Amino acid sequence: MNTRNKEWRSSMRLTVDYNYMMKKFIGSDGFKDSELAEMKESAAQAFNYVAEHRGKGMMGWTELPYNQKEIVEDIIATAKEVRRKFKYFVVLGIGGSALGPIAVFNALCHLHYNDLAPSKRRGPKFYVEDNVDPERMKALLDVIEPEKTCFNVITKSGATSETMAQYLIISDILNKVLGEKANENIIATTDHAKGNLIKLAKQHNYKTFYIPDGVGGRFSELCPVGLLPAAVLGLDIKAMLAGAAYMDGVCNKPSIAKNPALACAVLQVMAMNRGKNVGVMMPYADSLKTMSDWYCQLWAESLGKNVTLDGKPCNVGQTPVKSLGVTDQHSQVQLYTEGPFDKVVTFLSVKNYREEFPIPHGCEDIPDVSFLGGHTMNELIAAENKATAYALAKAGRQSYTVWLPEVNEFTLGELMYLFELQTAYAGAMFNIDTFNQPGVEAGKQATFALLGKKGYEAKRAELDSAPAAEDKYIV
């Protein structure tokens, strides 16, 4: 993968096709060219806002493609040692600390990676534990050997209840099995100075990587949060960062016609202003299936806000929904085609799949089957993708397509950076704080109170004084 070759980079450039957002293609629910032109000033202001705040406050993520040279070398060296020593690699994290690593793993590794023989894998078996379902923890312990496992604990604050509960369980097991050598099986990824996990890391001498200042969880995949798991899997993390940097360069103009991330943001904001409160992401590639999960957090947690930066009530945002082509043509597309006009569909489409699979001739006496012979699965999935987009357009429904030339480390870096910029631009257009998540905190505080955490006595009293459930409303 020659990421420095200009011609190769150009061949790997993502593109955004938004013809099916426009009135001339889908009819009355589409946008006129004049309406798009009316967004020019708002788009330029959003572009300038993001440009002016790069690397500041909670926009430290914008500089990740450029400022991690030494860190990347440390990650690569550590990953090599992990692959040498361990049979399993387990991420303990939640939210962006889990969804990013999962998305990259599924996109770039064999779809049955853990089932492959060790000789056919580039790294240890890989698991991400992003929930506290007790059955899930037991299931993990049934398939790994803790003494042969490297656990990557990821939490910036070290106060994430779910992750730290997992840590307590795993560290207890390791202490019993390995004694004073238990620390060799844990890598901490956390804040460099603040929080509980950095204290534990120093106390127990864990190998530690740091989450940079200004990088929130949902924007953290291109820092050690995501880069270490990817490197352990044998993936080219330098190419991922190169792809992100390339997309940053592509998006360096305040023009809807030339900046694909800005175009996506403008189209979504226009759609939301017309009542399109549901954003469907529909990859036509199993490898990109969990990219929708990562995107859902990025889009929902960033844009779902009830107040603007100047204190005005707003209640903005769009509900992201994940779908998979062609699987969900047989479950959800009926709704998208004939249901309410409240959705925008974003297709993730791949021009060149990494494999080609021919469909043999057969069943010649059954025309409904025989026509498939002589084609390939590549042709079939591409045809179904095109047909679904066309059917939605014929029904007057809005969609646009993000085209990946192929799925590799470089294009994945492009894609994730594209979506991060899109989100930042959209937040700027809504004049909201794109990078906080106050709505998440209420649930956390209630959980702390219910489990008896000190300092949350008032919240516990509030919960205890809530109206009791009535039997007549329980069926």
Side-chain angles (χ1 to χ4, degrees), residues 114-316:
N114 282 347
D115 296 327
L116 293 173
S119 60
K120 294 184 178 181
R121 283 189 272 110
R122 288 184 286 177
K125 288 189 176 184
F126 182 74
Y127 302 93
V128 180
E129 296 304 299
D130 66 340
N131 207 345
V132 288
D133 184 330
E135 294 180 17
R136 180 169 181 160
M137 178 57 74
K138 178 61 168 60
L140 173 70
L141 295 173
D142 283 341
V143 297
I144 66 169
E145 301 161 89
E147 69 276 12
K148 298 179 182 179
T149 304
C150 180
F151 296 91
N152 183 199
V153 187
I154 307 175
T155 164
K156 194 166 189 176
S157 66
T160 307
S161 297
E162 300 86 353
T163 304
M164 296 312 293
Q166 294 172 338
Y167 166 80
L168 289 171
I169 292 167
I170 295 302
S171 61
D172 181 63
I173 292 171
L174 291 177
N175 285 331
K176 290 175 180 175
V177 174
L178 297 174
E180 59 185 31
K181 290 189 175 182
N183 65 333
E184 297 177 7
N185 289 51
I186 293 179
I187 298 176
T189 304
T190 189
D191 190 88
H192 65 93
K194 298 178 294 183
N196 302 311
L197 187 53
I198 187 61
K199 294 176 184 176
L200 290 166
K202 290 178 178 177
Q203 178 184 343
H204 297 291
N205 196 29
Y206 298 146
K207 172 66 180 176
T208 307
F209 288 100
Y210 303 118
I211 303 171
D213 293 336
V215 178
R218 56 191 180 273
F219 289 87
S220 66
E221 176 56 26
L222 295 175
C223 79
V225 167
L227 296 181
L228 176 61
V232 168
L233 292 164
L235 302 175
D236 187 346
I237 61 175
K238 291 182 178 179
M240 286 177 62
L241 292 170
Y246 179 71
M247 181 51 60
D248 190 28
V250 169
C251 297
N252 68 353
K253 303 174 184 66
S255 164
I256 298 170
K258 295 180 179 179
N259 182 334
L262 190 60
C264 290
V266 167
L267 292 166
Q268 289 282 19
V269 168
M270 291 175 70
M272 282 184 261
N273 287 338
R274 278 200 188 178
K276 301 292 188 295
N277 296 318
V278 178
V280 179
M281 176 159 286
M282 193 168 189
Y284 269 77
D286 273 59
S287 62
L288 297 175
K289 180 178 180 180
T290 53
M291 185 57 61
S292 298
D293 294 287
W294 174 81
Y295 176 81
C296 280
Q297 184 198 8
L298 178 70
W299 195 242
E301 204 166 73
S302 296
L303 299 187
K305 303 295 162 61
N306 66 1
V307 65
T308 63
L309 288 172
D310 48 4
K312 297 177 182 177
C314 60
N315 296 110
V316 297

